[in-house]
Amino acid sequence: MPEYSVPAYDVIVIGAGSVGTPAAFYLAKAGLKTLVLDGGASVGQGSNKKAIGGIRATHSDTAKIRLCLRSIEVFSTWKEVYGDELEWTQSGYVFIAYRPEEERTLKELLQVQKTFGLNIDWLDAPALLKVIPDLNPDSLLGGTFSPGDGNASPLLALHAFYRQAVACGAEFHFNETVTDFIIQKGRITGVRTPCGHYAAGLVINAAGAAARQVSLLAGVDSPVTPDCHEAAITEAVARFLEPMVVDIRPAPGSANYYFYQHYTGQIVFCITPRPPIWGDHTEETSDFLPMVSRRLLGVMPRLKNIRVRRTWRGLYPMTPDGFPIVGKAQEVDGLLLAVGMCGQGFMLGPGLGELLARMASGSSAAGDEEILQILSPYRAFSGQEKLK
Ligand SMILES: Cc1cc2nc3c(=O)[nH]c(=O)nc-3n(C[C@H](O)[C@H](O)[C@H](O)COP(=O)(O)OP(=O)(O)OC[C@H]3O[C@@H](n4cnc5c(N)ncnc54)[C@H](O)[C@@H]3O)c2cc1C
């Protein structure tokens, strides 16, 4: 007598976040009976709503480039195809260089990015100042510009995926945390929550910053560690800045920082603390704003007059090498891992969601094998992503 009762699902997704929600849409669209369980009260309440909305294909490896190129196709055509406003803006990304070190790194990466056919080029200082007239020109060497990249609202996007997933038949249960797996003869056959138990042929771990705890429930160790990052938003002002600006120079207390002007006029920005702040604390600190403001004003003095409206703190689900972990668990059957998205889960979501749906329905597309090899849960984790 099985421990669970009907209904049985083809797939259970743990986590209605940046990855789980688009995945649910593509799973249901592929005709799979899909249940999404999330401990939060609605979609996107984990790291997704903390993201600032950057979406780029300009990475340093095939897997993320391929997935994000597909995500950009989805985000940029969503309104036309499904009608929802995602506040998608295709205004590009600029990685700036004020020192020869960054110029060298960015130019080296450019060679790799060019081999993938990415629309990205090096602009010298005068050309870059035409794209971003308000950049501080002192010591500016230039930067890379990729006009095909962009940004969108993480919450609007996730709600759009949610509505379409439900329209395709996916079920979502909120306020329902997965507390255990049901494992029979080395195979996961379902999950338990405080509200009951559910049977499925396949379970996808898309639990974001909590992914390691969830995998451990099945005896699988996924090396995902939450890493605290803060962000802020200003008042809305008339449009004066098009691309996302990324400065990868390190400074005391921080690594890179990035900012852009959202569709609705606000400047949104965040910074990567150095050394990293490990843990799952999501209360804002008083260190963040002075640290990031100094750096922002250094590259764009004009920002000194803009007022900050709110700061917040969220979690990057980090892996040891800065690349996501995607693939079937080997320790137990029936578990698919889609975890460790680091600082890029929002932009990876749609491309990865489609890949997960192909894996769940036993199909594949050109390039899937290579992506899965790079993101394998069983890789050595010895490399280091250059544009984390
Ligand atoms: C300040 C900041 C800025 C960022 N900016 C960007 C950006 O510009 N672009 C970008 O692409 N990314 C950005 N990110 C990163 C991005 O937010 C994450 O990579 C992404 O949200 C991770 O997606 P996920 O689906 O893995 O996790 P989440 O979106 O956190 O979803 C995981 C879900 O799982 C649920 N869950 C966890 N455990 C359980 C359980 N046991 N049972 C049921 N449900 C469970 C959680 O409630 C949560 O809803 C940023 C992050 C931060 C903090």
Side-chain angles (χ1 to χ4, degrees):
M1 178 87 175
E3 184 185 353
Y4 48 79
S5 52
V6 283
Y9 296 90
D10 293 317
V11 187
I12 290 174
V13 181
I14 305 174
S18 304
V19 171
T21 311
F25 168 51
Y26 292 113
L27 289 161
K29 201 173 167 205
L32 297 169
K33 195 163 163 31
T34 303
L35 171 66
V36 185
L37 296 164
D38 198 296
S42 64
V43 291
Q45 297 304 307
S47 295
N48 180 78
K49 72 175 181 185
K50 308 294 177 79
I52 70 165
I55 298 163
R56 62 180 159 100
T58 42
H59 299 284
S60 61
D61 71 288
T62 327
K64 287 203 293 187
I65 289 174
R66 286 222 174 101
L67 291 172
C68 288
L69 277 173
R70 180 60 194 140
S71 289
I72 288 176
E73 278 174 21
V74 173
F75 284 119
S76 62
T77 55
W78 187 274
K79 191 171 174 184
E80 203 181 302
V81 178
Y82 299 103
D84 310 283
E85 178 61 76
L86 309 185
E87 296 178 350
W88 162 255
T89 312
Q90 197 146 30
S91 46
Y93 261 65
V94 163
F95 282 73
I96 50 175
Y98 280 89
R99 306 185 312 173
E101 292 94 304
E102 281 74 42
E103 177 173 359
R104 215 172 19 250
T105 304
L106 293 173
K107 283 185 169 169
E108 274 168 23
L109 274 173
L110 196 62
Q111 304 298 324
V112 182
Q113 291 164 331
K114 286 268 188 204
T115 63
F116 295 112
L118 289 173
N119 179 10
I120 180 166
D121 266 308
W122 175 263
L123 303 185
D124 61 14
L128 192 57
L129 286 166
K130 285 203 177 103
V131 179
I132 312 176
D134 290 304
L135 270 184
N136 185 347
D138 295 347
S139 311
L140 179 65
L141 298 173
T144 56
F145 179 42
S146 49
D149 293 334
N151 55 78
S153 159
L155 267 179
L156 286 179
L158 232 58
H159 278 272
F161 279 113
Y162 166 65
R163 280 192 296 273
Q164 291 303 327
V166 170
C168 291
E171 284 177 44
F172 285 73
H173 292 194
F174 296 112
N175 298 311
E176 208 171 331
T177 300
V178 171
T179 51
D180 210 353
F181 288 102
I182 300 163
I183 303 177
Q184 294 174 326
K185 296 186 184 150
R187 176 169 195 90
I188 290 183
T189 54
V191 301
R192 287 194 192 91
T193 77
C195 306
H197 38 259
Y198 305 93
L202 179 70
V203 177
I204 301 179
N205 178 358
R212 188 173 212 156
Q213 287 106 287
V214 169
S215 283
L216 284 173
L217 296 172
V220 177
D221 191 7
S222 305
V224 177
T225 312
D227 176 12
C228 306
H229 284 245
E230 285 178 84
I233 187 163
T234 68
E235 63 188 327
V237 293
R239 193 140 195 98
F240 69 96
L241 170 64
E242 289 302 326
M244 171 83 78
V245 181
V246 188
D247 183 358
I248 60 170
R249 268 177 301 179
S254 64
N256 61 12
Y257 64 100
Y258 47 105
F259 63 100
Y260 77 104
Q261 186 170 22
H262 192 69
Y263 180 84
T264 42
Q266 301 93 334
I267 302 292
V268 198
F269 53 95
C270 53
I271 199 163
T272 302
R274 196 183 68 145
I277 304 173
W278 302 112
D280 53 9
H281 302 288
T282 49
E283 288 194 354
E284 314 83 271
T285 67
S286 52
D287 299 332
F288 161 70
L289 207 48
M291 178 195 281
V292 70
S293 304
R294 251 193 310 276
R295 298 201 64 186
L296 281 171
L297 297 187
V299 300
M300 194 166 283
R302 186 181 180 180
L303 290 171
K304 72 173 184 290
N305 295 318
I306 200 163
R307 284 169 295 202
V308 173
R309 290 295 189 217
R310 193 167 69 83
T311 66
W312 65 90
R313 194 183 203 188
L315 306 172
Y316 277 20
M318 286 307 292
T319 59
D321 58 5
F323 290 100
I325 296 173
V326 181
K328 288 187 179 152
Q330 288 173 1
E331 296 84 342
V332 62
D333 285 335
L335 179 64
L336 183 49
L337 304 167
V339 301
M341 298 299 133
C342 307
Q344 287 130 18
F346 173 57
M347 62 182 87
L348 286 160
L352 181 54
E354 282 187 338
L355 171 63
L356 294 170
R358 287 195 292 275
M359 292 174 81
S361 52
S363 62
S364 72
D368 283 359
E369 209 175 304
E370 193 184 0
I371 293 173
L372 290 171
Q373 217 164 24
I374 295 170
L375 305 183
S376 166
Y378 303 97
R379 64 183 183 261
F381 292 100
S382 54
Q384 220 17 261
E385 153 69 314
K386 292 196 179 65
L387 292 181
K388 276 191 278 196

